[in-house]
Amino acid sequence: MRILLIGASGTVGQAVAGALAPHHELIRAGRHSGDLRVDLTDMASVERMYAEVGQLDAVVTAAGSVHFGELVDTTPTQFMFGLQDKLMGQVHAVMAGISHLRDGGSFTLTSGITADEPIKLGTNATTVNAAIEGFVRSAATELPRGLRINAVSATLLTEAFEAYGPYFPGFPAVPGARVGQVYRRSVEGVGTGRIYKIWE
């Protein structure tokens, strides 16, 4: 399969690449590194990326940031950052990518455990991840030509524990290699409209 991985240089992206690269042709894209450059918040940039890469069998997005902070101190601009970056960035990747996927191809998006398990300072993250999962469930009913769409919702990765562990007290971390295999299941499987959860 010919697969586009957006956000390949991040912690999750590296885990996904490790699972997919041995079995498929993997094209890596990112804001600052990879085979292609893309800013998912800019639809024109997303469309240029797809025009350059050509036809694909699957697209995996492992990109996007959210705002962490006390809700009472969060500005509308800060809250909008997560909506524009992680939510609308992945929505852009799907909307622009439909015509570039071969019949029966798939999208796999990235949400996160905070969609179901809110954390301190994480209202923006919970909002964004829950919206991504709602988009996946609904888009699965409308995609043409047998196209599939799923999301992966993982808890904290072991490889990111040092950076993000304080935000997730009492949450078990899971190895990136295990998470990568769930993305592979989404890409190579038959499910659609699914939220694959890796919580422990």
Side-chain angles (χ1 to χ4, degrees), residues 10-114:
T11 305
V12 173
Q14 291 179 53
V16 176
L20 294 178
H23 310 281
H24 305 283
E25 178 188 352
L26 196 63
I27 302 107
R28 296 167 171 83
R31 187 170 289 171
H32 304 295
S33 64
D35 305 306
L36 301 167
R37 298 287 188 277
V38 64
D39 176 0
L40 288 183
T41 67
D42 179 359
M43 190 62 156
S45 175
V46 177
E47 290 172 341
R48 284 193 299 270
M49 172 192 67
Y50 278 120
E52 187 173 349
V53 76
Q55 290 296 109
L56 298 161
D57 298 294
V59 175
V60 178
T61 58
S65 300
V66 296
H67 173 73
F68 287 96
E70 295 283 357
L71 181 61
V72 295
D73 298 323
T74 300
T75 66
T77 299
Q78 288 172 322
F79 203 90
M80 185 61 72
F81 168 75
L83 298 177
Q84 291 177 328
D85 199 76
K86 187 172 183 180
L87 171 60
M88 288 309 301
Q90 295 191 85
V91 170
H92 288 161
V94 173
M95 294 176 70
I98 290 171
S99 63
H100 295 274
L101 277 184
R102 297 187 179 104
D103 292 359
S106 71
F107 296 99
T108 301
L109 310 189
T110 298
S111 60
I113 193 172
T114 59

Side-chain angles (χ1 to χ4, degrees), residues 77-198:
T77 299
Q78 288 172 322
F79 203 90
M80 185 61 72
F81 168 75
L83 298 177
Q84 291 177 328
D85 199 76
K86 187 172 183 180
L87 171 60
M88 288 309 301
Q90 295 191 85
V91 170
H92 288 161
V94 173
M95 294 176 70
I98 290 171
S99 63
H100 295 274
L101 277 184
R102 297 187 179 104
D103 292 359
S106 71
F107 296 99
T108 301
L109 310 189
T110 298
S111 60
I113 193 172
T114 59
D116 294 89
E117 296 286 343
I119 60 172
K120 185 177 175 64
L121 310 180
T123 297
N124 187 245
T126 292
T127 302
V128 168
N129 288 330
I132 291 165
E133 295 182 5
F135 172 75
V136 164
R137 285 191 291 268
S138 188
T141 70
E142 297 191 48
L143 288 176
R145 300 183 288 105
L147 301 182
R148 300 182 299 107
I149 183 169
N150 300 299
V152 175
S153 174
T155 187
L156 184 66
L157 270 65
T158 305
E159 292 83 349
F161 188 82
E162 186 174 344
Y164 293 100
Y167 290 102
F168 293 88
F171 284 70
V174 296
R178 181 178 169 203
V179 173
Q181 289 301 317
V182 178
Y183 282 85
R184 185 181 177 194
R185 186 201 317 176
S186 176
V187 170
E188 297 182 17
V190 298
T192 190
R194 295 283 306 277
I195 313 300
Y196 293 107
K197 299 178 179 181
I198 318 142

